[in-house]
Every structure is written in structure tokens, then in C-alpha cells.
């Protein structure tokens, strides 16, 4: 079924049977659970058979004791299935490779989860919410919430198997218990887009499914990663980081970073194998995003020696036409093999790796040597990515108006890395008022001016403008990954500093228009994600100080003169002067207009060549 289609109303829910026979389950039909044959199979003359009990014939007392022990384990692990807490037999199985035997999936206790399907607040605009996973009447292909996930979120972080493939997998009754935690998470995220509100019943059901899942099930890496993202941008940071840490630990323990993992656990299904490759790379990327968003988080997976192959193109993934995968070694040698083609996903991975390596070169203090090192070494990593980018991937938006969401992220990642590298060495000073932004970097030590300060200033401003160009692409409503928030916010802080210390007249007016655009885009994201909404308020607070507006209202306030900067980094502010400033003013570095080309940036390390580029343009 097409996820963009509107599901028909399901009407009232049928009464749930405690157990359905396999023929009824496979056809998603109501079953009265009678033995040896149910009424439906008797009427249709079908052979009726049931799944053998997986409880092993335990008594009620033994079952109650088992549940008590499981509850205690769950409480001790704070809802995260750490591999260190696995029973000894499971640790032994992991050490010898992922076990092949089937795992039982127990239904969450109904006395603990009173609304297992999460129906209380999970309403949709199109139809009554279908029953939840594990319910015998549940039909995945008619689930409006799962469709909402694929329509509004999947393209930002495509790692779960495509919609039609998931529906096919779920038709196998033996696979349904393993997929139940994943479907529960997809429904929770789908509900966020549908109702723009958090659903506590759906969250309860997600965590109930997690507690019952086998701790070494690979799909739990996807579940915890997706769940972490939803929690984080709904301002549940502590719970989010616990889920992310569990996802990283499980992925590394299972060996998901090794090349043979995808094949070994793909069950001969190339789409599923591709999904496992993508899962590892999203672990790497999202971990990097968290490091860039939070001030004190370590990049846990950066130094893991991963040889997992690279993902294919999105159209190939969606159609199930998976080619022989490229390797990271091939990508790193692409300058010698111009005929080799790589996917947008591969270039996003390369962008994150380049940004992470460049940021580690960020100087702790300002000096001529540190300045030259950033320009010659760190910039080479970032510029190399841009220079080798195929022409067809330079435009983030296609002629049909579709956004390549992975290239959208890749460009923003490298531009925010450039801003972070060069701003401490530029004219664009920091001040403690920026600490009001949860996306602001750690305060930097006072930097003394170097003879290359103009180069650093120009590179920051060009990256800020490139970010604005991407945000201004004519696609509305503005809907992208919420990790866009801090990538754009750091550029906004630099632009606000430019308004204070560098720009005057027309250039300053244009910058203010661009700040309005940025705030408008982030406000649109903030309608769904509370953490983004909070960040918008932080930027507005900082902007009021920059433009000399009153802290409240601001309707009658007038901006202070740019000659009296409010955001001072200590000492007198310095401005570009002489021929540098004349060229900047005459060419309007922030007034080049909006284009579809996100690859408008600087690659040289000499100021005269930078300024000549502007003149030639």
C-alpha cells in the first residue's frame, strides 16, 4: 500500500482474543481461539494449528516470580538494555557470534501497560487509530501513524527498511514479535507529526516492548536510535542520551561496524543487509550531531575502526535494487578514480568525517602558526570534499523541486564546521550573552589579532551565506531533520556578531532580513520540536541585545549605532578597513542573492585571491 494514500476507516475495534491460530493471524482475521479448531477454520475447512507455547509450562507462581525478576532488572538498567547486564549465557552467545535460534517475545503485561496499543492519545486526522502491534486485529499496511513516519521523517534519516518492504516482512507471523518494538517507535514518531504532541501511552508501549525484546536483537539498535532522536528534540535529554548510549553499545558489541555483519544478518535479503549498513552509519552520524549540539559529549564512535560498506542511492534503496556496495576505502581515493560514483549518503558520511577531523585541529590559542594551520590543514579537508563533489550533487534541490535531504545535511555540516574553525580567529567576537543559546560552543579564550584575520572573517561570512541560501530554497513548509537547529544557530550567532562589528548600511539591513528568514525557518521546526522552539527564543534574546532592542516588547525600541557594539569580546573592536572593506562594501558579501547552488564557498588560503574571486564574480 502506498504510504501517501489515506487509509479507510477501520470502524470499531473487535474484541481481542488471548490467542489466535496461525491461519487467522497470517490473514489478520478475528479468531475465537478455540481448540483444537477455531470456528473460522472449521467453517472454511482449513487446517487449524497454533504456535507452541514458549512459556515452557511454568506455573502461575513461577511466572509471577519471573516477571518480578525481569521488572527488577529493568529498573536497575533504567530502561536501557545494556549488554553488560545480559545474562551470562547471552554474553557467551555474543562472544561466539550472534545466535541463530529464535527468541520468544512476551506480550507486555496488561496490568502494567493498561493501554498497550497506545490508543488513548494516538488519534489521527484521517481515521480512527488502528490497533497497535501485537494485537491480532492490527494491520501494518493500514496504520496511519506508521505511514506518517515514512512520509514526514524517514527521508531525513533513512535506515529502516522501505515501507513496502517492512509491510512484506511483517506479513510473516514469526517476524512480527521481533518487529513489534520497531513498529511501536515508528508509531510514536508518526504521532508526533500527526498531533504535534507527545503521547505518553505510546511511549509507555514503546518501553514495554523494549523491556520484553531480546537485548541482542539487531533491530533494537534502530529502535533505540530513533527513540533517542525523538526524546532529544522533545527536550527529554537525559532519557535520550541513555538510549543513544545503549544503541552505541549494542551496535559495537554485535559488531555492526564490521563489513560482514550486514551479510551475516541479512538473511539473504539485500534490502535488509543495506538497512544494517545504514544503521551503523546513522549511529556514527547521529553521535557526531549530538557532539556538535551538546557542549560536553564525547564522540564515542569516532575512533572505532569501522569497515562497513557505504550505503547506495536512495532511489535504489526504495526500489529494492541494491547494487554491489562501495567501500570507504574507495571513497577516500575518489580523486584518483573520477569514474567512480557514490551516493548522497556516502558524501554525507564523508562530510561528517571531514568536519570531525577538521574540528580536532581547532587551536586552543591564537597565533600565526595556529592560524596558518587552520587555513592550510583543516580547510584542506573541508575544501577537498567540495572540490570533488560531482556536479549533479552540488544542487541541493532538483529541477522538480525535491530536496536531497542527505546533501542538505552534508552542506550544513561542513559550513558549520568552517564557522566553528574560523570564527575564533576572525573579527566576529564572542561574548557571554551567547551562552544563552543552548547551541553555542564552549567559550573560547581571548584571541589576539593575526595578520590573516581577514581571511578567517571572510570564510565565516561565506559559510553563513551558504547556509542562508540553502534555507531559502523555495520549499515550504520548512521541514527537515531537527538537527538542522544547531547547525543553523551557530551560523546565526556569527551573523549577529557581524551585524555588531563589521556590517553597516545596506549589508547590515540584508543581514537582518536573513536573520528573519532563519528565525522563521527554525520557528517552523519549533512547532513540532520543543527543543528547537526553546532555541528560537534564545536566539531572539541574543538578537535583541545585538540590535539594541528592549528585552521585552521591543516595539518602540530603536537599534543602537553599529559604532557602539554591545557584544564585546574584550578590548576595542576592530573593523576591516582600507581596500578590504571597500571591496566588501562594493560587492556586498551578504547580498549575492539566493541561488540553488549550495557549493558557493572559498577554497583559497590567500586574502588577495579571496577578494579577486569576488571581483571576478
Amino acid at each position: 500500500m502506498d504510504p501517501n494514500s489515506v487509509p479507510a476507516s477501520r470502524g470499531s475495534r473487535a474484541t481481542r482474543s488471548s490467542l489466535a491460530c496461525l491461519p487467522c493471524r497470517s490473514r489478520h482475521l478475528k479468531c475465537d481461539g478455540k481448540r483444537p479448531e477455531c470456528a473460522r477454520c472449521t467453517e472454511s475447512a482449513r487446517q487449524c494449528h497454533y504456535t507452541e507455547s514458549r512459556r515452557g509450562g511454568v506455573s502461575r507462581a513461577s511466572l509471577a516470580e519471573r516477571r518480578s525478576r525481569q521488572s527488577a532488572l529493568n529498573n536497575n538498567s533504567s530502561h536501557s538494555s545494556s549488554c553488560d547486564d545480559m545474562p551470562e549465557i547471552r554474553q557467551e552467545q555474543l562472544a561466539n557470534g550472534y545466535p541463530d535460534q529464535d527468541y520468544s517475545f512476551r506480550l507486555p503485561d496488561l496490568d502494567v501497560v493498561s493501554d498497550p496499543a497506545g490508543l488513548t492519545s494516538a488519534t489521527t486526522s484521517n481515521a480512527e487509530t488502528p490497533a497497535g502491534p501485537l494485537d491480532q486485529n492490527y494491520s501494518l499496511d493500514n496504520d496511519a501513524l506508521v505511514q506518517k513516519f515514512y512520509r514526514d521523517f524517514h527521508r531525513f534519516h533513512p535506515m529502516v527498511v522501505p515501507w513496502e518492504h517492512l509491510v512484506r516482512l511483517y506479513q510473516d507471523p514469526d517476524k512480527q514479535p521481533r518487529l513489534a518494538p520497531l513498529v511501536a517507535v515508528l508509531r510514536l514518531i508518526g504521532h508526533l507529526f500527526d498531533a504535534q504532541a507527545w503521547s505518553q501511552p505510546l511511549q509507555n508501549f514503546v518501553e514495554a516492548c523494549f523491556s520484553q525484546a531480546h537485548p541482542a536483537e539487531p533491530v533494537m539498535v534502530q529502535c533505540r536510535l530513533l527513540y533517542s532522536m525523538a526524546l532529544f528534540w522533545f527536550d527529554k535529554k537525559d532519557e535520550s542520551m541513555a538510549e543513544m548510549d545503549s544503541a552505541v553499545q549494542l551496535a559495537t558489541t554485535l559488531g555492526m561496524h564490521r563489513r560482514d555483519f550486514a551479510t551475516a544478518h541479512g538473511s539473504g535479503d539485500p534490502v535488509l543487509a543495506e538497512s544494517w549498513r545504514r544503521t551503523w552509519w546513522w549511529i556514527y552520524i547521529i553521535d557526531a550531531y549530538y557532539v556538535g549540539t551538546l557542549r560536553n559529549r564525547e564522540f564515542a564512535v569516532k575512533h572505532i575502526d569501522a569497515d562497513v560498506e557505504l550505503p547506495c542511492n536512495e532511489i535504489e534503496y526504495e526500489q529494492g535494487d541494491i547494487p554491489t556496495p562501495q567501500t570507504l576505502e574507495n571513497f577516500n581515493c575518489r580523486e584518483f578514480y573520477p569514474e567512480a560514483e557514490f551516493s548522497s549518503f556516502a558524501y554525507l558520511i564523508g562530510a561528517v568525517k571531514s568536519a570531525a577531523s577538521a574540528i580536532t585541529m581547532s587551536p586552543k590559542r591564537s597565533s600565526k602558526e595556529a592560524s596558518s594551520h587552520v587555513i592550510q590543514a583543516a580547510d584542506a579537508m573541508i575544501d577537498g570534499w567540495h572540490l570533488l563533489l560531482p556536479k549533479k550533487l552540488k544542487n541541493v534541490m532538483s529541477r522538480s523541486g525535491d530536496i536531497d535531504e542527505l546533501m542538505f545535511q552534508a552542506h550544513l555540516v561542513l559550513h558549520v564546521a568552517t564557522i566553528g574553525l574560523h570564527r575564533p580567529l576572525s573579527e566576529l567576537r564572542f561574548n557571554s550573552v551567547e551562552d544563552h543559546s543552548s547551541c553555542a560552543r564552549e567559550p573560547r579564550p581571548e584571541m589576539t589579532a593575526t595578520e590573516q584575520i581577514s581571511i578567517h572573517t571572510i570564510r565565516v561570512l561565506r559559510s553563513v551565506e551558504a547556509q542562508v541560501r540553502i534555507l531559502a530554497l523555495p520549499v515550504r513548509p520548512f521541514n527537515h531533520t531537527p538537527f538542522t537547529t544547531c547547525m543553523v544557530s551557530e551560523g546565526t550567532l556569527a551573523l549577529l556578531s557581524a551585524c555588531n562589528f563589521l556590517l553597516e548600511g545596506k549589508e547590515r539591513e540584508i543581514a537582518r532580513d536573513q536573520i528573519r528568514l532563519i528565525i522563521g525557518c527554525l520557528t517552523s521546526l519549533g512547532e513540532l520540536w520543543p527543543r528547537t522552539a526553546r532555541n528560537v527564543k534564545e536566539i531572539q534574546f541574543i538578537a535583541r541585545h545585538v540590535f539594541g532592542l528592549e528585552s521585552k516588547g521591543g516595539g518602540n525600541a530603536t537599534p543602537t549605532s553599529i559604532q557602539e557594539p554591545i557584544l564585546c569580546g574584550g578590548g576595542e573592536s576592530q573593523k576591516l578597513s582600507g581596500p578590504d572593506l571597500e571591496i566588501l562594501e562594493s560587492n556586498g558579501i551578504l547580498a549575492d542573492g539566493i541561488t540553488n547552488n549550495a557549493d558557493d564557498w572559498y577554497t583559497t588560503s590567500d586574502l588577495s585571491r579571496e577578494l579577486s574571486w569576488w571581483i571576478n564574480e
Side-chain angles (χ1 to χ4, degrees):
M1 179 177 177
D2 186 353
N4 293 316
S5 64
V6 177
S9 175
R10 294 179 56 85
S12 59
R13 292 183 60 206
T15 303
R16 175 179 175 177
S17 171
S18 60
L19 180 64
C21 69
L22 291 179
C24 290
R25 284 177 59 191
S26 65
R27 301 178 66 197
H28 306 291
L29 297 175
K30 178 182 177 182
C31 180
D32 59 12
K34 291 183 179 179
R35 293 174 182 264
E37 292 184 347
C38 72
R40 189 179 295 276
C41 287
T42 300
E43 181 180 356
S44 59
R46 285 193 178 89
Q47 183 179 0
C48 186
H49 53 281
Y50 292 81
T51 303
E52 295 181 4
S53 173
R54 294 174 177 174
R55 290 185 174 179
V58 296
S59 65
R60 289 181 179 272
S62 299
L63 183 59
E65 182 182 354
R66 231 185 244 183
R67 288 174 175 169
S68 177
R69 288 199 305 268
Q70 181 66 38
S71 177
L73 285 173
N74 292 340
N75 291 335
N76 290 337
S77 62
S78 299
H79 301 290
S80 63
S81 298
S82 169
C83 292
D84 293 337
D85 296 331
M86 293 180 192
E88 183 176 346
I89 186 172
R90 290 178 179 171
Q91 286 279 24
E92 197 175 303
Q93 290 169 339
L94 282 177
N96 297 324
Y98 186 72
D100 295 326
Q101 69 268 25
D102 187 29
Y103 305 123
S104 62
F105 186 101
R106 298 179 302 279
L107 286 170
D109 297 335
L110 298 185
D111 57 344
V112 176
V113 185
S114 58
D115 185 16
L119 301 177
T120 301
S121 62
T123 58
T124 69
S125 58
N126 297 326
E128 180 184 349
T129 303
L134 304 181
D135 190 302
Q136 72 171 65
N137 299 304
Y138 175 71
S139 175
L140 177 62
D141 54 351
N142 287 327
D143 192 328
L145 297 185
V146 177
Q147 293 179 32
K148 202 72 167 149
F149 166 85
Y150 276 96
R151 186 184 303 122
D152 295 330
F153 190 79
H154 175 69
R155 66 183 184 276
F156 307 147
H157 310 285
M159 67 175 161
V160 179
V161 293
W163 163 256
E164 293 181 355
H165 203 80
L166 180 62
V167 170
R168 286 197 295 271
L169 290 176
Y170 199 80
Q171 288 173 349
D172 183 348
D174 293 333
K175 290 185 173 65
Q176 290 178 8
R178 291 188 178 185
L179 293 172
L182 177 62
V183 175
V185 174
L186 302 191
R187 298 187 79 233
L188 173 64
I189 297 176
H191 177 273
L192 300 181
F193 283 89
D194 183 67
Q196 296 188 340
W198 190 265
S199 170
Q200 191 60 49
L202 284 173
Q203 180 183 8
N204 291 344
F205 189 58
V206 165
E207 295 184 353
C209 288
F210 281 17
S211 70
Q212 297 295 332
H214 191 284
E217 179 66 63
V219 76
M220 289 305 300
V221 178
Q222 294 182 348
C223 295
R224 294 191 182 280
L225 182 57
L226 289 169
Y227 189 37
S228 173
M229 288 188 272
L231 288 167
F232 185 81
W233 291 104
F234 251 81
D235 245 349
K236 302 174 185 287
K237 188 186 81 169
D238 292 342
E239 299 97 315
S240 168
M241 293 300 98
E243 293 297 335
M244 183 64 191
D245 291 341
S246 295
V248 170
Q249 185 175 14
L250 179 56
T252 53
T253 301
L254 292 174
M256 195 171 277
H257 57 288
R258 295 194 294 265
R259 180 179 301 184
D260 59 352
F261 179 90
T263 302
H265 299 85
S267 302
D269 182 348
V271 175
L272 185 57
E274 171 72 7
S275 178
W276 296 138
R277 287 190 287 270
R278 288 166 172 257
T279 301
W280 169 258
W281 286 119
W282 277 117
I283 285 282
Y284 180 89
I285 292 168
I286 297 301
D287 200 27
Y289 285 177
Y290 280 141
V291 172
T293 302
L294 301 172
R295 296 185 179 186
N296 299 314
R297 182 172 175 84
E298 296 293 329
F299 195 177
V301 301
K302 178 183 178 183
H303 301 294
I304 293 178
D305 187 17
D307 62 356
V308 61
E309 293 161 318
L310 298 175
C312 62
N313 288 309
E314 297 312 299
I315 186 65
E316 295 169 328
Y317 187 44
E318 292 300 319
Q319 294 178 351
D321 184 17
I322 311 299
T324 301
Q326 292 275 17
T327 66
L328 188 60
E329 295 85 351
N330 292 342
F331 183 82
N332 290 334
C333 296
R334 63 194 182 281
E335 66 270 31
F336 304 121
Y337 302 97
E339 69 281 0
E341 294 187 2
F342 299 91
S343 65
S344 297
F345 202 149
Y347 279 96
L348 172 58
I349 295 167
V352 173
K353 283 185 169 292
S354 296
S357 298
I359 288 296
T360 59
M361 299 182 178
S362 181
K364 303 300 180 184
R365 61 185 181 84
S366 176
S367 65
K368 181 177 180 180
E369 292 74 19
S371 175
S372 298
H373 186 64
V374 167
I375 294 172
Q376 296 171 6
D379 281 353
M381 296 181 183
I382 295 175
D383 293 345
W385 184 93
H386 284 285
L387 288 168
L388 294 175
L389 190 63
K391 185 176 181 180
K392 65 180 181 180
L393 294 181
K394 290 185 178 181
N395 292 335
V396 175
M397 187 176 73
S398 69
R399 291 184 177 181
S400 61
D402 296 323
I403 295 290
D404 186 334
E405 293 292 342
L406 302 184
M407 292 306 299
F408 180 93
Q409 295 177 46
H411 283 291
L412 289 183
V413 164
L414 288 180
H415 289 309
V416 74
T418 299
I419 293 166
L421 278 167
H422 288 277
R423 190 182 168 193
L425 299 164
S426 74
E427 291 280 327
L428 309 176
R429 296 174 177 269
F430 294 85
N431 187 262
S432 58
V433 72
E434 293 188 33
D435 286 341
H436 285 279
S437 172
S438 55
C439 290
R441 298 279 182 176
E442 284 286 351
R444 301 296 182 89
E446 182 62 23
M447 297 289 189
T448 57
T450 69
E451 61 188 34
Q452 298 165 319
I453 190 170
S454 297
I455 299 177
H456 299 294
T457 302
I458 292 170
R459 291 208 52 132
V460 172
L461 293 176
R462 288 302 289 184
S463 285
V464 171
E465 180 171 355
Q467 285 189 333
V468 172
R469 285 195 183 98
I470 296 173
L471 298 183
L473 293 175
V475 177
R476 296 293 180 266
F478 186 85
N479 183 25
H480 301 282
T481 173
F483 287 100
T484 299
T485 302
C486 281
M487 298 181 198
V488 173
S489 295
E490 191 164 343
T492 307
L493 295 177
L495 186 56
L496 286 168
S497 182
C499 288
N500 220 9
F501 295 110
L502 178 65
L503 304 177
E504 294 180 334
K506 180 180 178 182
E507 282 73 30
R508 191 167 186 260
E509 291 177 4
I510 293 172
R512 287 199 62 175
D513 288 336
Q514 293 173 332
I515 291 170
R516 290 188 186 100
L517 169 67
I518 294 169
I519 291 177
C521 290
L522 293 182
T523 298
S524 181
L525 278 183
E527 293 176 357
L528 175 64
W529 306 109
R531 189 178 182 91
T532 301
R534 175 161 59 87
N535 184 257
V536 170
K537 294 180 180 179
E538 294 164 353
I539 291 176
Q540 290 169 332
F541 174 85
I542 297 168
R544 286 196 297 266
H545 281 261
V546 170
F547 295 116
L549 305 175
E550 295 179 355
S551 59
K552 293 184 179 180
N556 298 323
T558 56
T560 58
S561 170
I562 193 64
Q563 301 297 334
E564 299 176 357
I566 298 171
L567 290 177
C568 298
E572 295 294 328
S573 65
Q574 300 179 0
K575 293 180 176 289
L576 291 173
S577 60
D580 293 353
L581 183 58
E582 291 176 6
I583 294 176
L584 291 175
E585 291 176 342
S586 62
N587 287 277
I589 62 172
L590 296 176
D592 289 343
I594 303 301
T595 70
N596 183 29
N597 193 345
D599 190 34
D600 196 0
W601 45 275
Y602 285 82
T603 61
T604 63
S605 59
D606 181 79
L607 178 59
S608 62
R609 291 173 64 191
E610 297 274 1
L611 298 177
S612 296
W613 190 93
W614 270 326
I615 294 173
N616 292 334
E617 284 291 296

